[in-house]
């Protein structure tokens, strides 16, 4: 066995990260802060986590990637707003919370656990600290978690349909469809994520359209106009999904996955990403103008402007280094725009 080289001592890290780890080793306070940061990132399922968690429940939570629940829970809120029939009563608040439980911890948790199960080989290259490649949890335990989350999600969806009085079980159908989409996204033989266009659009639609439809159907009548508009909005979600591809370029190349950064190169993929995010939000703003919601459209345009600024400041200059910084800076404006659009559609009675 040969001695590890400096690069192998810090897998998937650049020289700055290596220097930071060396500095932490000689500074106890910095080391403690770094350890806490790494464990927090580990628990949330974020990039840059540290290994070594022993609690099986924290490991299970890490598999579910809580950081990814937020957009889908937010999508439910946007759908409730676009229905035009949500009221701030205790009953509606509790029902909306149940729908967010469905979209976030249960079905997103199912999706993320399923994805980690089928991505264990690529994670061994890109993120070896993840629970499965690190050996922190066994494969049978992972399969059990997938099934429990799926069954619980379908059960909550059915209960929501009963509350809404749906003759056709709309929310249950959406839950089944979304769960199937999550399966073909991650699992062979289709494995949609192998194709940068199909995979990222499926991801974008899952983050925007599906939870939006759920919230709208829960409090109102889901219609084709809402369905089509949110599928268009999901093209902006495609751009957000592409941002996540930059962290795994090395592993994607080795395993033959055709992500957009692999197919088009880093710079071109970054431009595809930001153009998708900006153009389709502006398209939604144009639609709001067409239905007379000019104030909402104007505010939406003003919410796109800071996204463009952060794209220039961070993402386009170095997408590999600044992907997380860009998302933290720009995405709050995107999700506020989603809610604004939902309120506009509800106000217009679409």
């Amino acid at each position: 066995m040969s001695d590890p080289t400096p690069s192998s001592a810090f897998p998937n890290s650049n020289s700055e990260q290596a220097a930071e780890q060396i500095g932490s080793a000689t500074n106890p306070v910095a080391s403690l802060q770094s350890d806490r940061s790494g464990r927090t990132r580990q628990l949330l399922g974020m990039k840059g986590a540290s290994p070594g968690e022993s609690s099986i429940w924290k490991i299970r939570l890490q598999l579910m990637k809580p950081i990814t629940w937020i957009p889908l829970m937010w999508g439910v809120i946007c759908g409730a707003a676009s229905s035009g029939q949500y009221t701030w009563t205790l009953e509606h608040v509790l029902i909306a919370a149940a729908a967010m439980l469905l979209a976030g911890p249960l079905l997103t948790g199912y999706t993320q656990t399923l994805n980690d199960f089928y991505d264990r080989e690529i994670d061994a290259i890109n993120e070896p600290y993840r629970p499965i490649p690190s050996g922190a949890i066994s494969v049978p335990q992972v399969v059990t978690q997938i099934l429990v989350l799926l069954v619980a999600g379908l059960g909550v969806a059915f209960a929501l349909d009963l509350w809404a009085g749906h003759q056709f079980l709309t929310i249950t159908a959406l839950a089944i469809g979304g769960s199937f989409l999550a399966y073909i996204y991650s699992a062979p033989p289709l494995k949609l994520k192998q194709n940068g266009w199909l995979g990222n659009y499926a991801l974008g639609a899952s983050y925007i359209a599906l939870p939006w439809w759920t919230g709208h159907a829960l409090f109102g009548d889901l219609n084709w106009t809402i369905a089509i508009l949110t599928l268009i909005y999901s093209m902006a979600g495609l751009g957000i999904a592409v941002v996540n591809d930059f962290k795994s370029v090395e592993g994607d190349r080795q395993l033959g996955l055709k992500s957009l950064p692999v197919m088009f190169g880093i710079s071109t993929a970054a431009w595809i990403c930001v153009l998708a995010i900006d153009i389709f939000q502006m398209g939604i703003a144009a639609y709001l103008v067409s239905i007379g919601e000019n104030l909402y459209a104007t505010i939406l345009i003003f919410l796109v402007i800071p996204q463009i600024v952060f794209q220039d400041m961070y993402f386009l200059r170095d997408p590999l280094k600044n992907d997380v910084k860009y998302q933290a800076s720009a995405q709050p404006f995107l999700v506020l725009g989603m809610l604004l659009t939902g309120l506009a559609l509800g106000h217009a009675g679409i």
Side-chain angles (χ1 to χ4, degrees):
M1 180 183 296
S2 60
D3 294 333
T5 64
S7 60
S8 65
F10 300 97
N12 300 313
S13 300
N14 57 28
S15 58
E16 289 182 9
Q17 292 172 315
E20 182 179 339
Q21 293 184 40
I22 293 171
S24 297
T26 60
N27 186 331
V29 175
S31 178
L32 179 60
Q33 292 175 339
S34 176
D35 181 64
R36 287 176 178 172
S37 175
R39 288 185 178 276
T40 299
R41 297 176 74 85
Q42 179 191 49
L43 192 62
L44 293 175
M46 297 172 66
K47 185 175 76 170
S50 60
E53 181 57 64
S54 58
S55 168
I56 186 61
W57 296 109
K58 289 184 178 180
I59 292 168
R60 290 188 181 280
L61 188 62
Q62 184 189 358
L63 274 175
M64 294 162 66
K65 295 186 181 177
I67 196 69
T68 65
W69 303 348
I70 300 171
L72 287 101
M73 296 168 73
W74 187 261
V76 171
I77 297 173
C78 296
S82 69
S83 73
Q85 299 181 39
Y86 178 83
T87 59
W88 286 101
T89 61
L90 178 61
E91 181 181 20
H92 276 197
V93 169
L94 292 176
I95 290 297
M100 287 188 281
L101 172 68
L102 166 67
L106 295 179
L107 290 189
T108 305
Y110 152 81
T111 298
Q112 296 294 350
T113 307
L114 185 74
N115 187 64
D116 265 28
F117 175 77
Y118 284 106
D119 269 9
R120 54 193 186 275
E121 292 182 2
I122 194 169
D123 282 346
I125 299 170
N126 293 319
E127 300 176 275
Y129 51 80
R130 297 292 304 157
I132 302 176
S134 69
I137 188 170
S138 68
V139 169
Q141 287 175 310
V142 175
V143 172
T144 299
Q145 178 165 320
I146 291 169
L147 294 176
V148 167
L149 290 170
L150 176 61
V151 171
L154 296 180
V156 171
F158 180 72
L160 291 173
D161 273 322
L162 292 181
W163 176 86
H166 290 155
Q167 291 185 344
F168 176 77
L169 300 178
T170 306
I171 298 173
T172 303
L174 290 173
I176 292 172
S179 300
F180 178 71
L181 182 62
Y183 177 79
I184 63 174
Y185 174 82
S186 297
L190 293 180
K191 203 174 180 71
L192 296 181
K193 67 184 299 178
Q194 289 182 329
N195 183 291
W197 294 110
L198 287 177
N200 283 314
Y201 183 73
L203 196 60
S206 298
Y207 270 59
I208 294 180
L210 282 175
W212 196 310
W213 296 349
T214 299
H216 192 104
L218 188 58
F219 297 102
D221 296 318
L222 185 60
N223 56 70
W224 281 108
T225 301
I226 292 294
I228 293 171
L229 283 174
T230 50
L231 286 173
I232 293 171
Y233 220 141
S234 296
M235 289 299 296
L238 178 148
I240 295 298
V242 174
V243 176
N244 296 320
D245 288 340
F246 288 91
K247 70 179 181 181
S248 56
V249 174
E250 178 184 347
D252 289 348
R253 282 199 184 107
Q254 291 184 31
L255 296 181
L257 298 182
K258 295 181 179 179
S259 68
L260 296 192
V262 171
M263 288 193 293
F264 296 103
I266 300 299
S267 179
T268 302
W271 274 104
I272 292 173
C273 171
V274 300
L275 288 174
I277 292 170
D278 299 339
I279 289 173
F280 287 96
Q281 287 184 90
M282 298 297 286
I284 294 295
Y287 175 78
L288 295 182
V289 170
S290 74
I291 60 174
E293 297 295 335
N294 298 334
L295 177 60
Y296 287 103
T298 302
I299 299 173
L300 180 57
I301 291 170
F302 278 115
L303 288 173
V304 175
I305 292 172
Q307 296 178 59
I308 295 173
V309 171
F310 288 122
Q311 287 162 2
D312 178 63
M313 285 177 59
Y314 299 133
F315 191 66
L316 291 174
R317 299 188 184 191
D318 192 340
L320 296 178
K321 180 181 178 181
N322 296 328
D323 57 339
V324 174
K325 185 182 294 185
Y326 163 69
Q327 287 178 309
S329 303
Q331 282 198 25
F333 296 98
L334 183 141
V335 298
L336 283 175
M338 288 171 55
L339 179 58
L340 184 80
T341 301
L343 291 169
L345 296 174
H347 182 261
I350 299 301

